[in-house]
Amino acid sequence: MAAEGKGVVLLGAWPSPYAIKVKIALSEKGVEFEDREEVLSNKSDLLLKMNPVHKLIPVLIHDGRPVCESPIIVEYIDEAWTQGPALLTSDPHERARSRFWADFADKKVFSSIRSVWFGSVEAQEAGKKELAEWMSLLESELGEKAYFGGGSFGHLDLSLVPYYWWFHALKKTLDLGSASELHLPKLEGWLKRCLLRGSVTAALPDQDKLREFIQQIRKKRLPTN
Amino acid sequence: MAAEGKGVVLLGAWPSPYAIKVKIALSEKGVEFEDREEVLSNKSDLLLKMNPVHKLIPVLIHDGRPVCESPIIVEYIDEAWTQGPALLTSDPHERARSRFWADFADKKVFSSIRSVWFGSVEAQEAGKKELAEWMSLLESELGEKAYFGGGSFGHLDLSLVPYYWWFHALKKTLDLGSASELHLPKLEGWLKRCLLRGSVTAALPDQDKLREFIQQIRKKRLPTN
């Protein structure tokens, strides 16, 4: 069993931005891995054993040893497999900037996504405004660069693209208010460039499938206001 | 003005575990810095300008450029000042382990501290149980090692010691239930070793002052159940 012995196993869930990031990082580094889909309503014994503290996906199991929490896994992949281009630059300030915006997406963007997805009426309205603000911030942070780190795809691109993909799916599924009407030409051009990469297209879920998932969970979790 | 020009300025607040971590890291690296105390009820224009996204301390300003979010600042310090011993080891798996437990303290331990500090009656009871569980986990993670990374003080020690110091202050201030009665000989020995370091004693607040702060904020924020 690869998870207990040699090799690389990813415990993930296909819609999870956290898991998508890790998949892109593994592909960028050319690491072959076994992709094990977890059913989050019925977590596997392996997941509970490998991440007993948080009991959450994704978990990367490398030669039997677990690495947990997606930003930590992405940096682990960059450091453990030194083949291919580094995902993070070597410049300390650029590394801090890249980590900052990746963390911003994990915390702020995903929190707003969850609010518009299945929050209370008030939380939904606040979430729409926040999403508009976050996307404008990212548009301005990208500026004239081809990728968030400059001329080549790297750490911050793979950390942000799952959330931007989710934003697209949400926009086509729900009324996002002012966030729907944003003009984001830089992010759109960047997304197109990202979608030219096999690592990205292999990890991102189909938009229709994602929209169906968004609707399903919304029906189940939306509070009856 | 150092914050706008050359030099190192830390925008912090003395009781903040996040700011304490950064102060220890700077001292360990022998970096001289200007320590600017923020009044969190009346944040400075400089703080709002340097951390417009989160508007939170700590912010490290190095030659006029801000670095935000304490785990990111600690890694920045390790990478930007290469003098002295590295705070993080070079082994990828050990780096991931160190980052994992530092993140665990920032999220889980601090969240439980806040619950017992000024949560609802139910949240306080849950927080006490969690704190007992988290401290037992850390006791076992330390095991027979002198420091969390092994034989020398480093990244994980400086990331955990502010929280353990807070746990001490809470234990002497409030009824922590089962968490008060824990026998933690390994963590106690480790704390003694940490307190032999000037970097740690200079950054940790006086226990009496911290207890008074805990009482003050508790009076102000405790919900009337």
Side-chain angles (χ1 to χ4, degrees), chain B residues 114-142:
Chain B
R114 294 169 67 92
S115 294
V116 300
W117 189 9
F118 48 65
S120 66
V121 171
E122 297 74 27
Q124 285 181 44
E125 288 311 307
K128 289 174 192 179
K129 280 185 198 141
E130 286 160 11
L131 268 185
E133 189 183 342
W134 306 152
M135 291 303 147
S136 304
L137 266 177
L138 291 175
E139 174 84 359
S140 125
E141 181 61 24
L142 178 59

Side-chain angles (χ1 to χ4, degrees), chain A residues 79, chain B residues 78 86-96 98-99 149 155:
Chain A
E79 294 167 355
Chain B
D78 204 19
L87 300 174
L88 264 174
T89 164
S90 61
D91 176 77
H93 197 269
E94 279 300 302
R95 289 166 74 86
S98 200
R99 286 166 174 153
H155 174 267

Side-chain angles (χ1 to χ4, degrees), chain A residues 21-96:
Chain A
K21 283 194 285 176
V22 172
K23 286 180 194 173
I24 301 176
L26 286 166
S27 297
E28 284 290 324
K29 286 288 189 170
V31 179
E32 285 190 23
F33 64 100
E34 183 191 332
D35 184 8
R36 284 207 203 165
E37 189 71 13
E38 284 284 332
V39 179
L40 298 186
S41 55
N42 183 21
K43 294 173 182 175
S44 72
D45 290 342
L46 185 63
L47 173 58
L48 301 178
K49 181 182 162 193
M50 290 290 170
N51 191 359
V53 174
H54 300 298
K55 303 177 179 71
L56 295 173
I57 60 103
V59 177
L60 186 78
I61 309 171
H62 183 196
D63 292 347
R65 295 195 299 180
V67 182
C68 304
E69 298 290 290
S70 70
I72 298 174
I73 301 173
V74 168
E75 295 217 27
Y76 175 79
I77 292 166
D78 204 19
E79 294 167 355
W81 287 279
T82 49
Q83 74 253 36
L87 300 174
L88 264 174
T89 161
S90 61
D91 176 77
H93 198 269
E94 278 301 303
R95 290 167 71 86

Side-chain angles (χ1 to χ4, degrees), chain B residues 139-216:
Chain B
E139 174 84 359
S140 125
E141 181 61 24
L142 178 59
E144 299 306 320
K145 300 189 289 289
Y147 296 98
F148 275 90
S152 58
F153 182 91
H155 174 267
L156 188 48
D157 304 296
L158 70 88
S159 300
L160 294 177
V161 75
Y163 294 105
Y164 197 62
W165 194 243
W166 263 83
F167 177 65
H168 261 249
L170 280 172
K171 226 170 40 170
K172 282 186 222 144
T173 315
L174 311 174
D175 165 26
L176 291 192
S178 60
S180 294
E181 291 143 33
L182 285 173
H183 182 55
L184 302 165
K186 285 159 189 167
L187 285 173
E188 285 302 308
W190 163 79
L191 176 63
K192 274 189 196 148
R193 284 186 287 280
C194 290
L195 290 174
L196 295 174
R197 303 182 81 80
S199 65
V200 174
T201 50
L204 290 178
D206 177 79
Q207 275 278 327
D208 287 341
K209 193 178 165 193
L210 186 53
R211 291 181 59 188
E212 201 182 314
F213 173 78
I214 288 169
Q215 292 279 28
Q216 270 179 8

Side-chain angles (χ1 to χ4, degrees), chain A residues 5-198:
Chain A
K6 287 277 165 194
V8 181
V9 176
L10 176 66
L11 308 182
W14 67 266
S16 161
Y18 303 127
I20 296 169
K21 283 194 285 176
V22 172
K23 286 180 194 173
I24 301 176
L26 286 166
S27 297
E28 284 290 324
K29 286 288 189 170
V31 179
E32 285 190 23
F33 64 100
E34 183 191 332
D35 184 8
R36 284 207 203 165
E37 189 71 13
E38 284 284 332
V39 179
L40 298 186
S41 55
N42 183 21
K43 294 173 182 175
S44 72
D45 290 342
L46 185 63
L47 173 58
L48 301 178
K49 181 182 162 193
M50 290 290 170
N51 191 359
V53 174
H54 300 298
K55 303 177 179 71
L56 295 173
I57 60 103
V59 177
L60 186 78
I61 309 171
H62 183 196
D63 292 347
R65 295 195 299 180
V67 182
C68 304
E69 298 290 290
S70 70
I72 298 174
I73 301 173
V74 168
E75 295 217 27
Y76 175 79
I77 292 166
D78 204 19
E79 294 167 355
W81 287 279
T82 49
Q83 74 253 36
L87 300 174
L88 264 174
T89 161
S90 61
D91 176 77
H93 198 269
E94 278 301 303
R95 290 167 71 86
R97 189 182 72 84
S98 199
R99 288 167 173 153
F100 175 84
W101 288 107
D103 176 73
F104 163 83
D106 286 344
K107 286 182 188 157
K108 297 280 196 181
V109 178
F110 204 31
S111 161
S112 306
I113 285 175
R114 294 171 66 93
S115 294
V116 301
W117 188 8
F118 48 66
S120 65
V121 170
E122 298 75 26
Q124 285 180 46
E125 288 312 308
K128 289 174 191 178
K129 280 184 197 142
E130 288 161 10
L131 267 185
E133 189 183 341
W134 306 153
M135 291 303 147
S136 303
L137 266 179
L138 291 175
E139 175 84 358
S140 129
E141 182 61 24
L142 178 60
E144 300 306 321
K145 299 188 292 286
Y147 296 99
F148 275 90
S152 58
F153 182 90
H155 173 268
L156 188 48
D157 304 295
L158 71 87
S159 300
L160 294 178
V161 76
Y163 294 105
Y164 197 62
W165 195 242
W166 262 82
F167 177 66
H168 262 248
L170 280 171
K171 227 171 42 173
K172 283 186 224 144
T173 316
L174 311 174
D175 165 26
L176 290 193
S178 61
S180 293
E181 291 143 34
L182 285 173
H183 182 55
L184 302 166
K186 285 160 189 168
L187 285 173
E188 286 301 309
W190 163 78
L191 177 63
K192 272 187 197 149
R193 285 186 286 281
C194 290
L195 290 174
L196 296 174
R197 304 183 79 80

